[in-house]
Amino acid sequence: MTHSGNPFGQVLVALITPMTADGEVDWPAVEKHIDGVITGGADGIVVTGTTGETSTLTDAEKLKLVEVGKSVSAGRAKIITGGGSNETAHAIELYKASEKAGADGIMIVTPYYNKPTQAGILTHFRLVADATDLPVILYDIPGRTGVPIKYETILRLAKHPNILAVKDAKGDFSEVSRVLNQTDLLYFSGDDANVLPHLSIGAAGLIGVTANITSAPYRVIVDAVNRGDLHTATAAHKKLEPLVRAVMTHVPGTVSAKYILHGLGRISSPRVRLPLVGPEEWEAALIEDELALVKDVDGADFSNFRPDRNAAAGGALPKVHGTTR
């Protein structure tokens, strides 16, 4: 199921962090959800990433998510810790602790808010990668961080022995091709709508939000691409399109994924932590309209979908604040 030389897997889920109605982590639901996506076909789980609400999780919660992930996966899927920090010193300590907690790899996001130069980005990634023996995925998402990892910087980072991959949410396919030609880096699609296009030009896999709803179609797409069956991959891609649109278009992916999973009865609450809030009435209506178009998608049966807009409304203030530095 995994490419030779790929220590991360191919179908990676950017895992939501299920929470109770008062915004505390729902640990039994975390265990159930991880088991479900692995059973559906995921061979990698990214905990504490953007979709996992990393910026409002405490460090203790982040480390426990790694530990729970390792326990539930029981070797069936790799557990990658995401997130990081825009403070290099904190990122180093967090990833060191994640390694001790059992993480199989780390995904380092570009420092956000600070808007460092490319020299600063280069130094940040190198120092974090130096601090761990785990394989590293660089997370290039300028829409959230404010700065891209430029092509020249990626080439320099590719020389680091621990930096093995990039999660691309930049959408510059010509740059992806250039990097794949010039380096041995693995690429993971970080945009659910572009999974098949990324795979078609040589990406190793995906790190997806919609895979929280169902990972099975992504397993179909990846396995089809692996054997050169573009027809099967394209058919699965087309069927997934309205579900991807429902999850990724109208509100942040975390919010919509929780709203949908709760409506399917798979998590106890759709609650997110502030400043995220549940969908407003008109946003919920748009999500539901998209879901009505989902047909014949394995693992996504909406015949008994029961959304609860009231339960999703607003956001939670947890008892202990997160560590955002």
Side-chain angles (χ1 to χ4, degrees):
M1 290 173 66
T2 303
H3 283 317
S4 175
N6 176 355
F8 306 108
Q10 288 189 273
V11 179
L12 280 67
V13 179
L15 199 80
I16 63 154
T17 303
M19 294 175 183
T20 62
D22 60 357
E24 299 305 313
V25 178
D26 185 344
W27 295 107
V30 171
E31 294 182 10
K32 179 183 176 183
H33 187 50
I34 291 173
D35 183 67
V37 296
I38 294 174
T39 300
D43 53 8
I45 306 290
V46 176
V47 296
T48 78
T50 304
T51 307
E53 300 178 69
T54 184
S55 59
T56 53
L57 293 174
T58 67
D59 282 3
E61 288 170 333
K62 293 174 185 178
L63 297 176
K64 186 172 179 179
L65 281 163
V66 173
E67 294 167 352
V68 170
K70 286 290 289 184
S71 175
V72 174
S73 67
R76 296 176 295 161
K78 300 295 185 181
I79 303 299
I80 314 301
T81 187
S85 175
N86 64 336
E87 180 194 17
T88 305
H90 180 219
I92 288 170
E93 293 307 309
L94 185 58
Y95 286 125
K96 281 182 178 179
S98 297
E99 183 174 8
K100 290 180 180 178
D104 296 302
I106 64 176
M107 186 175 77
I108 313 172
V109 71
T110 313
Y112 42 87
Y113 189 74
N114 316 58
K115 295 191 77 171
T117 63
Q118 292 298 303
I121 291 171
L122 182 72
T123 303
H124 177 85
F125 282 130
R126 280 177 171 171
L127 287 176
V128 176
D130 283 344
T132 175
D133 292 326
L134 293 175
V136 171
I137 303 172
L138 308 176
Y139 187 10
D140 190 6
I141 181 166
R144 286 188 178 272
T145 64
V147 288
I149 313 173
K150 291 189 176 179
Y151 167 73
E152 295 79 9
T153 305
I154 294 174
L155 293 190
R156 296 174 74 181
L157 288 166
K159 297 176 182 178
H160 194 289
N162 291 347
I163 296 174
L164 304 186
V166 177
K167 177 183 176 183
D168 180 68
K170 193 158 55 181
D172 185 340
F173 289 94
S174 62
E175 181 177 286
V176 173
S177 294
R178 289 179 73 197
V179 175
L180 289 173
N181 279 339
Q182 296 296 319
T183 75
D184 293 324
L185 289 173
L186 302 165
Y187 258 79
F188 290 89
S189 178
D191 182 347
D192 287 10
N194 285 329
V195 167
L196 182 55
H198 268 117
L199 292 170
S200 71
I201 61 171
L206 63 113
I207 301 173
V209 181
T210 308
N212 280 280
I213 313 303
T214 175
S215 53
Y218 290 104
R219 184 79 262 162
V220 170
I221 291 171
V222 166
D223 288 348
V225 171
N226 286 347
R227 64 176 183 269
D229 183 357
L230 184 60
H231 176 78
T232 297
T234 301
H237 167 81
K238 287 182 176 179
K239 287 182 179 180
L240 265 174
E241 189 272 332
L243 181 58
V244 170
R245 198 166 63 245
V247 174
M248 302 302 295
T249 304
H250 307 295
V251 293
T254 305
V255 174
S256 51
K258 285 189 171 184
Y259 183 70
I260 294 167
L261 288 168
H262 181 251
L264 291 169
R266 286 163 51 187
I267 57 175
S268 63
S269 170
R271 181 66 70 227
V272 289
R273 286 180 178 174
L274 287 162
L276 292 181
V277 295
E280 296 188 57
E281 286 286 324
W282 64 274
E283 293 166 330
L286 290 171
I287 292 169
E288 292 161 23
D289 286 346
E290 309 284 18
L291 295 178
L293 301 175
V294 178
K295 307 293 181 186
D296 301 321
V297 173
D298 188 15
D301 180 3
F302 291 99
S303 59
N304 292 314
F305 182 61
R306 298 292 183 271
D308 188 338
R309 298 181 185 180
N310 289 332
L317 281 172
K319 296 175 183 177
V320 180
H321 63 79
T323 304
T324 55
R325 286 200 308 121

